[in-house]
Amino acid sequence: MNENGADGFPARRNSHRQNGVIQPLLTDLYQITMAYAYWRAGKIHDTATFDLFFRKNPFSGEFTIFAGLEEVLKFLENFHYSDSDILYLKETLPSVDPAFFDFLANLTADDIILHAADEGSVVFPRVPLLRVEGPLIVAQLLETTLLTLVNYASLVATNAARYRLASGVNVQLLEFGLRRAQGPDGGLSASKYAYLGGFDGTSNVLAGKLYQIPVKGTHAHAYISSFSNCKELTQRTIKHKETGEEIDFVDLCNEWKDKLTPFLKFLRVLKEESSDGELAAFASYALAFPDSFVALVDTYDTCRSGLLNFCAVAMALHQMGYSPNGIRIDSGDLAYLSKTARATFERIAAHYELEWFKNLTIVASNDINEETIWSLNEQGHEINCFGIGTHLVTCQRQPALGCVYKLVEINTMPKIKLSEDMEKVTMPGKKDVYRLYGADGHALVDLLLQVGEEPPEPGSKILCRHAFHESKRAYVSPAKVECLYKVFWKDGKICEPLPHLKNSRQRVADSLKTIRQDHKRNLNPTPYKVSVSDRLYHFIHDLWLQNAPIGLLS
């Protein structure tokens, strides 16, 4: 047996590095007890097929983004019980036959075959995101880990994509959620999958390092509050970026404050009422970061202090050859304050003939959610960038996606799970998935077929049926047909290029363009159709009748 390496990663040749927490013991105990019961029952040579899917789109929407595939593939590649794993299981399950642990110690995922959609694809309820085929015991042991890798990743990516749709393509989105995330691993996953879903950067420095996500950040209110006045600044000078001339930057900021006060009378600004400590903090921060200066302007009063102090420092930086970036607003009426800030920038830009000044960035934070952005849009805000934390990473509107992992075939025999709740009836057997497109390039329907059926052809007339409602059916003549499944893992190897975060991020944007606007709208979106072939429809219902008990009336 190969023990985990010193870095916590399984020591397996040619494997991709993986988070050390993601390992075979990251599972529910009943997976291992079931594996033992299978083993005791002599089912070590049984084969099975499982589907991983969800039943309902999150956030009252009608689309979902599939994410987590990269980590799934790494998990399969590194799947192995270490010496310490086996020792722990022996202590945890002392009544288990010791020979079972020898069996576990030699298990790998090499005999598993994984079909999946591309990471970053738009997906819909009941369409299997993963089709897992192989030895029953191994496929069963994978269940919980695959679910935890796909559920949260897809939920956050979908949430992020919805924020992107709400804000539009011209507004930057930054993920600020680490301090509110469900623990450190939740924080890292949120940063990764928010970026995949369409965000532009994160405040999470470790996520930036691990996943090559752009990192962004300014300062907190504590930095502003730590200064009382400009007299306490000991480092005051700055060199001109081009000439090298060195002057007292704090004095220059005060000079600009005197010049700008008359222009800001519409804000009811009085120089003596604005905070000298805030000006000191801005000047100090500008001296530290003259080429990327962004100021948090709401510590005292955005209109009567923050904007004046920021503009004074920004103009001083410009005079010394540097380019300030903008402001961040973290409280108050964001629509009103952003429009007031933009009007301030435009007045100064017009008076000093500085076209760039009117386009300074306005970042808004303050517990923003999707509804906040839609409301701000209606109010005509002037925000260039949203910093979003709690509602993004915790997915407060819906904290879980609800993916399930269901047995659909055992030893080539299809299996169906029945329920009084029709939504919980499974679709038996191995299935392939095709997306049918109209002539306008938009997706019309996802069609599930039994493996072995002739795939649909562009231009042909295809009967698409609801899986369980007999009367819901339609003919579709697609202009384009796309097979959603690829074999990503077979014979112990990754068969497709390992999904790269930036490529998956681009796929989200491209995939969303193929979905009609009414499926993506915020209010009352149109449900997207997921259908089955006529052959699969009859197969499901025949198997249903075979397995459903017949009642007796007396």
Side-chain angles (χ1 to χ4, degrees):
M1 290 183 294
N2 292 325
E3 182 59 271
N4 285 354
D7 58 0
F9 294 93
R12 179 170 174 166
R13 186 176 58 187
N14 297 326
S15 62
H16 295 89
R17 289 175 63 87
Q18 181 184 30
N19 183 339
V21 173
I22 303 171
Q23 53 182 287
L25 290 193
L26 185 66
T27 191
D28 296 307
L29 180 62
Y30 86 153
Q31 307 292 4
I32 296 170
T33 57
M34 275 195 293
Y36 177 57
Y38 285 143
W39 181 83
R40 282 290 301 270
K43 296 175 77 67
I44 61 173
H45 298 300
D46 285 21
T47 59
T49 300
F50 288 84
D51 284 346
L52 188 152
F53 61 96
F54 60 94
R55 297 188 177 106
K56 188 176 181 180
N57 288 303
F59 312 118
S60 301
E62 289 298 340
F63 74 87
T64 300
I65 302 297
F66 171 45
L69 179 60
E70 179 189 9
E71 296 300 332
V72 165
L73 294 173
K74 290 178 180 178
F75 173 60
L76 294 176
E77 192 176 40
N78 291 288
F79 184 87
H80 175 70
Y81 290 94
S82 69
D83 291 344
S84 61
D85 292 342
I86 298 299
L87 179 61
Y88 172 75
L89 290 174
K90 286 180 177 179
E91 294 170 348
T92 304
L93 301 168
S95 62
V96 166
D97 186 334
F100 173 68
F101 297 114
D102 295 332
F103 170 77
L104 280 188
N106 291 294
L107 278 186
T108 68
D110 289 359
D111 294 326
I112 292 291
I113 301 173
L114 180 76
H115 291 76
D118 280 314
E119 183 156 23
S121 298
V122 174
V123 290
F124 301 97
R126 289 198 162 276
V127 175
L129 309 179
L130 305 178
R131 190 175 89 209
V132 181
E133 307 170 39
L136 168 64
I137 294 179
V138 180
Q140 187 72 69
L141 288 168
L142 297 176
E143 175 181 2
T144 301
T145 316
L146 296 187
L147 285 170
T148 198
L149 291 175
V150 170
N151 259 312
Y152 183 65
S154 299
L155 188 70
V156 172
T158 305
N159 205 16
R162 292 180 63 86
Y163 277 100
R164 172 51 69 197
L165 289 174
S167 60
V169 297
N170 296 321
V171 173
Q172 270 207 326
L173 292 175
L174 302 177
E175 178 267 312
F176 285 175
L178 178 59
R179 63 186 61 196
R180 304 288 174 81
Q182 287 94 338
D185 191 66
L188 285 171
S189 295
S191 298
K192 178 178 182 178
Y193 294 112
Y195 183 67
L196 183 149
F199 272 56
D200 298 293
T202 179
S203 64
N204 186 340
V205 181
L206 182 57
K209 175 188 175 185
L210 293 177
Y211 308 126
Q212 290 78 57
I213 301 172
V215 289
K216 304 285 185 180
T218 54
H219 54 255
H221 292 107
Y223 187 82
I224 307 299
S225 301
S226 70
F227 293 84
S228 298
N229 55 64
C230 289
K231 294 178 181 178
E232 65 187 72
L233 295 179
T234 56
Q235 298 295 324
R236 301 172 61 97
T237 62
I238 188 172
K239 290 183 178 179
H240 194 282
K241 189 173 183 179
E242 296 177 358
T243 67
E245 178 189 3
E246 188 170 1
I247 68 166
D248 189 307
F249 183 68
V250 180
D251 286 345
L252 184 60
C253 291
N254 272 304
E255 291 173 14
W256 273 108
K257 190 170 182 177
D258 289 334
K259 293 177 184 178
L260 294 177
T261 300
F263 291 102
L264 304 186
K265 286 182 179 178
F266 77 105
L267 298 178
R268 300 188 302 278
V269 170
L270 297 175
K271 180 184 176 184
E272 56 271 20
E273 289 186 358
S274 63
S275 171
D276 192 44
E278 184 180 57
L279 180 66
F282 288 176
S284 172
Y285 204 78
L287 285 169
F289 299 100
D291 273 320
S292 57
F293 174 58
V294 176
L296 180 59
V297 296
D298 69 320
T299 304
Y300 300 111
D301 187 294
T302 300
C303 294
R304 301 179 69 180
S305 181
L307 285 175
L308 174 60
N309 283 328
F310 165 76
C311 291
V313 176
M315 291 300 289
L317 280 174
H318 171 67
Q319 184 174 327
M320 298 306 292
Y322 300 95
S323 299
N325 283 3
I327 62 171
R328 178 163 73 96
I329 307 170
D330 192 48
S331 62
D333 185 331
L334 297 179
Y336 169 74
L337 292 175
S338 68
K339 288 190 281 188
T340 300
R342 185 67 65 204
T344 302
F345 300 158
E346 288 173 348
R347 287 189 178 211
I348 294 172
H351 182 80
Y352 290 99
E353 297 183 352
L354 300 173
E355 184 69 17
W356 59 269
F357 202 90
K358 69 179 184 182
N359 297 318
L360 287 170
T361 296
I362 300 174
V363 182
S365 42
N366 188 30
D367 211 27
I368 291 169
N369 58 32
E370 187 183 339
E371 284 70 28
T372 304
I373 296 178
W374 287 112
S375 175
L376 288 168
N377 291 344
E378 292 175 357
Q379 297 173 69
H381 70 83
E382 288 288 344
I383 296 163
N384 304 93
C385 175
F386 289 106
I388 303 171
T390 305
H391 290 274
L392 172 66
V393 305
T394 65
C395 299
Q396 287 191 352
R397 285 183 64 190
Q398 182 175 325
L401 177 57
C403 284
V404 294
Y405 188 83
K406 297 299 181 182
L407 178 71
V408 295
E409 185 178 275
I410 184 77
N411 295 326
T412 72
M413 182 184 299
K415 291 291 181 177
I416 188 170
K417 175 192 174 295
L418 300 182
S419 172
E420 292 182 6
D421 183 351
M422 192 173 294
E423 284 191 352
K424 292 191 174 183
V425 176
T426 60
M427 287 189 275
K430 295 179 185 177
K431 298 166 289 293
D432 286 325
V433 187
Y434 294 87
R435 185 160 292 169
L436 311 184
Y437 293 86
D440 62 359
H442 287 134
L444 297 171
V445 62
D446 280 10
L447 181 65
L448 279 69
L449 285 72
Q450 285 185 293
V451 168
E453 282 194 71
E454 285 295 319
E457 294 288 341
S460 61
K461 187 178 179 182
I462 303 161
L463 179 59
C464 298
R465 307 197 63 166
H466 189 285
F468 303 110
H469 293 288
E470 183 177 16
S471 62
K472 293 184 177 181
R473 53 188 181 168
Y475 284 109
V476 177
S477 295
K480 172 187 169 185
V481 175
E482 178 188 15
C483 179
L484 296 188
Y485 275 169
K486 296 177 183 175
V487 177
F488 277 92
W489 174 265
K490 188 177 182 180
D491 298 326
K493 290 183 281 189
I494 297 173
C495 305
E496 295 281 335
L498 196 68
H500 189 278
L501 183 57
K502 288 188 177 180
N503 294 339
S504 299
R505 182 174 185 269
Q506 184 59 50
R507 184 173 291 109
V508 171
D510 294 341
S511 190
L512 281 170
K513 290 176 183 176
T514 68
I515 307 302
R516 291 201 319 260
Q517 183 58 39
D518 58 305
H519 296 307
K520 297 180 288 188
R521 67 190 176 206
N522 183 49
L523 293 175
N524 301 315
T526 304
Y528 180 85
K529 291 179 174 59
V530 173
S531 300
V532 299
S533 68
D534 190 54
R535 176 173 149 183
L536 179 55
Y537 172 85
H538 287 290
F539 177 74
I540 292 170
H541 287 260
D542 288 346
L543 196 61
W544 190 338
L545 291 176
Q546 291 173 26
N547 285 271
I550 301 175
L552 175 65
L553 299 179
S554 61

